[in-house]
Amino acid sequence: MIERALWACAALSVLVTVGIVGVLAWDAAAFFRDVSPVAFLTGRTWTPLFRTQSFGVLPIVAGTVLVMAIAMLVAVPAGLVSALYLSEYAPPRVRRMAKPALEVLAGVPTVVYGYFALLFVTPWLRTWIPGLAGFNALGPGLVMGLMILPLVSSLCDDAFSAVPQGLREGAFALGATRLQAATGVVLPAAMSGVSAAVILAISRAIGETMIVAIAAGQQPRFTANPLVPIETMTAYIVQVSLGDVPTGTREYRTIFAVGMLLFGATLALNLCSDWLRRRMAGAPR
Amino acid sequence: MIDARGRDRAFHALGLAVLLAALAALGVLLWDVVADGAGRLSWAFVTGYPSRRASNAGLLPALAGSVWLVGLAALLAMPIGVGAAIALEEYGGRGRWARLIEINIANLAGVPSIIYGLLGLGLFVRALRLERTLLAGAATLALLMLPLVILTAREALRAVPLSLREASLALGATKWQTVWHHVLPAALPGLLTGLILAVSRVIGEAAPLIVIGALTYVPFVPDGPLSPFTALPIQIYAWTSRPGTGFRANAAAAILVLLAVLLVTNSLAIWLRDRSSRRRPA
């Protein structure tokens, strides 16, 4: 009896997934009865809230990818270098202090990062880049990179720690410096773990909401220019949620179609990352 | 021409520099928020009601809303999460179902929080007709907390020594008696630490609450689970998005309150973890 109740609790997690897919599919299906999926996925104008509606999702996909790419340009190199430093160079005392300090970065609520991006980073960037708009992809992208850095750093650190010490000692015995051992032996051996970290970071960046909702703007635009206002998929969902779009209309259902795209993309990336991590050399589990 | 040893030293310096730059950025963030918001922070601000005039606006409904939300969410997520963890860890088995549930929980932990908002909107707000109430918001946040609670609860259960279970079973206790009287009390500090960590994650969540339709202007303190509500991160978002330096100062002051709350919950989690590890030497 109790056992059954316990298993029901565990099964609830599966029901949550079923619920997510069900809720998204229900309204998205109604939306796709009106709008062809092909037009949705290949159209280059996104104006569902205008009088002349157009449902081409590519502009908000482009906005999402643009911010994500900027975030990755910050988070991946910085996360990799700091993880290599922590695992191969740092004395234990520095390591013990730096790891929790980095975790604080990951614990700051994203609405706070949004505030920081809009009211500190963008104004500061504008003193260097005169053409930068008040809402843009650059500021939130950089701040998102800062937010994701600890994730990359800690997963890469795990991957480096899983590399057997004997490999490093072999390299040192041949006269390699720490850098040569790190880049020639440790990094290649940890490659699947590092890729898993990068892919998970991409998934996190695509799903991140508040930073872009606050600081990136609400102008769906099919562009790779980081200096102008754009809109991401998540920011669009926020925009509609805050507006007074009537329930059950076509424009209201767009958020479920966009949500389904977002869920599909992040799920695929998470599965991919998980698979790579399982392959990791000497991984515990 | 730099030799290999020089490059090694250069990388050492680079690594340290990157680490320090990241921490410096954190420092700048905190300094910026303190510089903008410290002047607005006062007892009247914390206990005041929102206002259309920035200088009169207060935080009480948002603060109370957050406390209600997180309390209800914890009440919903804790029993279910711990129950699931016990099922997987103590009754476990390597069956196909257990595998499926495990993979599923790992994946749920990676679903963007805004998707949970859409789930809450479809399920609690519309299908169950809870409308924009605290209960709908708390249930949504509870689902968001669930994977984290299960993962940390399993770790806490795993840390309980096997000999404790064997001793209980040897005296003729049933499996459930063993779990209830011995394993759970021993794992309690770990379970609470996990719960607090999950709570401190959802305290800062704004996106799912915005999607389920939480209000941004609530001039009253919620009086029950079926009351409309606002929450700290939503109030911060609303103030940040308004033009004018007055509301931005309010946002910064509210951020300071939010960070203070997080500091308290995180210290509590660390204190609990330290206490439990001291009482049970490896």
Side-chain angles (χ1 to χ4, degrees):
Chain A
M1 180 58 206
I2 283 165
E3 197 170 336
R4 225 174 262 170
L6 292 174
W7 278 108
C9 292
L12 189 78
S13 77
V14 179
L15 286 182
V16 174
T17 311
V18 174
I20 290 175
V21 175
V23 164
L24 294 178
W26 179 263
D27 279 278
F31 173 75
F32 286 125
R33 269 197 294 276
D34 292 346
V35 178
S36 101
V38 177
F40 175 71
L41 288 174
T42 58
R44 285 195 187 189
T45 33
W46 180 255
T47 53
L49 306 177
F50 289 11
R51 188 162 304 230
T52 48
Q53 290 179 320
S54 186
F55 298 100
V57 80
L58 285 183
I60 55 175
V61 171
T64 305
V65 170
L66 180 58
V67 176
M68 178 273 282
I70 296 167
M72 289 303 109
L73 284 178
V74 175
V76 172
L80 207 51
V81 167
S82 61
L84 270 179
Y85 169 77
L86 283 174
S87 87
E88 309 298 316
Y89 287 82
R93 207 161 47 90
V94 173
R95 216 178 129 82
R96 265 203 312 277
M97 281 164 47
K99 286 198 90 164
L102 274 180
E103 276 167 31
V104 174
L105 273 176
V108 174
T110 60
V111 66
V112 177
Y113 278 118
Y115 176 94
F116 186 57
L118 180 69
L119 299 175
F120 184 86
V121 174
T122 291
W124 178 72
L125 286 171
R126 283 171 93 168
T127 62
W128 303 89
I129 313 168
L132 189 68
F135 293 108
N136 58 73
L138 187 59
L142 294 177
V143 171
M144 197 189 280
L146 181 67
M147 181 197 90
I148 291 176
L149 193 163
L151 175 84
V152 179
S153 171
S154 117
L155 288 176
C156 287
D157 192 31
D158 289 349
F160 296 147
S161 317
V163 174
Q165 192 59 27
L167 283 182
R168 288 186 191 88
E169 281 160 6
F172 293 144
L174 292 173
T177 61
R178 275 183 298 191
L179 182 62
Q180 285 166 336
T183 55
V185 175
V186 177
L187 193 59
M191 213 51 218
S192 54
V194 171
S195 327
V198 173
I199 292 172
L200 196 64
I202 292 175
S203 160
R204 196 61 69 80
I206 289 177
E208 171 40 44
T209 306
M210 294 319 292
I211 300 176
V212 284
I214 291 174
Q218 296 189 340
Q219 295 179 28
R221 200 185 299 234
F222 191 74
T223 179
N225 178 1
L227 306 182
V228 295
I230 50 128
E231 183 163 50
T232 67
M233 297 196 276
T234 50
Y236 172 74
I237 297 177
V238 168
Q239 185 192 0
V240 172
S241 305
L242 283 172
D244 41 16
V245 177
T247 309
T249 57
R250 198 176 354 166
E251 45 272 45
Y252 178 81
R253 288 186 176 127
T254 53
I255 61 174
F256 292 93
V258 171
M260 201 152 132
L261 198 58
L262 190 63
F263 178 70
T266 52
L267 183 67
L269 289 168
N270 291 342
L271 288 173
C272 191
S273 165
D274 202 44
W275 177 75
L276 279 167
R277 211 163 353 165
R278 271 171 218 281
R279 286 189 7 164
M280 207 160 88
R285 86 156 78 191
Chain B
M1 195 59 199
I2 312 168
D3 64 351
R5 210 158 286 281
R7 276 198 294 271
D8 191 49
R9 271 198 295 273
F11 188 84
H12 193 160
L14 175 70
L16 196 57
V18 166
L19 204 60
L20 290 177
L23 298 180
L26 179 67
V28 171
L29 186 155
L30 293 176
W31 166 79
D32 177 49
V33 172
V34 171
D36 290 354
R40 262 310 267 132
L41 206 57
S42 66
W43 190 244
F45 176 74
V46 175
T47 58
Y49 290 87
S51 162
R52 305 210 180 274
R53 294 225 346 248
S55 53
N56 289 342
L59 203 57
L60 188 61
L63 203 54
S66 273
V67 171
W68 266 102
L69 268 180
V70 169
L72 282 174
L75 276 180
L76 291 168
M78 184 69 171
I80 298 173
V82 174
I86 294 173
L88 289 168
E89 203 57 39
E90 304 291 324
Y91 294 84
R94 311 268 161 267
R96 182 182 298 223
W97 273 96
R99 272 302 289 142
L100 177 76
I101 290 170
E102 251 167 63
I103 293 173
N104 191 54
I105 290 167
N107 281 320
L108 278 182
V111 173
S113 64
I114 194 167
I115 299 290
Y116 282 94
L118 289 171
L119 173 64
L121 174 66
L123 199 62
F124 304 124
V125 177
R126 291 198 294 162
L128 297 180
R129 298 181 189 289
L130 290 174
E131 303 300 331
R132 304 169 162 193
T133 57
L134 272 171
L135 192 57
T140 306
L141 291 187
L143 294 184
L144 188 55
M145 285 169 72
L146 200 54
L148 203 57
V149 173
I150 297 178
L151 290 173
T152 51
R154 290 189 67 178
E155 261 171 50
L157 292 173
R158 218 171 299 156
V160 176
L162 201 60
S163 54
L164 202 68
R165 296 181 182 85
E166 283 164 351
S168 168
L169 292 172
L171 291 175
T174 63
K175 185 117 196 164
W176 173 248
Q177 283 168 335
T178 303
V179 169
W180 185 251
H181 292 292
H182 303 286
V183 178
L184 273 183
L188 194 61
L191 296 177
L192 288 178
T193 309
L195 181 73
I196 294 169
L197 288 179
V199 159
S200 59
R201 229 197 84 189
V202 299
I203 289 180
E205 282 289 352
L209 298 176
I210 289 176
V211 173
I212 66 160
L215 307 173
T216 51
Y217 184 86
V218 176
F220 52 83
V221 171
D223 57 359
L226 295 178
S227 166
F229 69 100
T230 189
L232 268 178
I234 296 183
Q235 188 65 72
I236 292 167
Y237 170 71
W239 278 338
T240 303
S241 319
R242 287 182 70 155
T245 50
F247 283 109
R248 287 173 179 181
N250 286 355
I255 287 174
L256 290 177
V257 174
L258 179 61
L259 292 180
V261 172
L262 282 175
L263 195 67
V264 171
T265 53
N266 283 329
S267 324
L268 200 63
I270 291 169
W271 177 74
L272 268 170
R273 193 166 51 192
D274 282 358
R275 210 178 74 120
S276 64
S277 64
R278 224 180 309 126
R279 270 207 316 201
R280 199 176 49 242

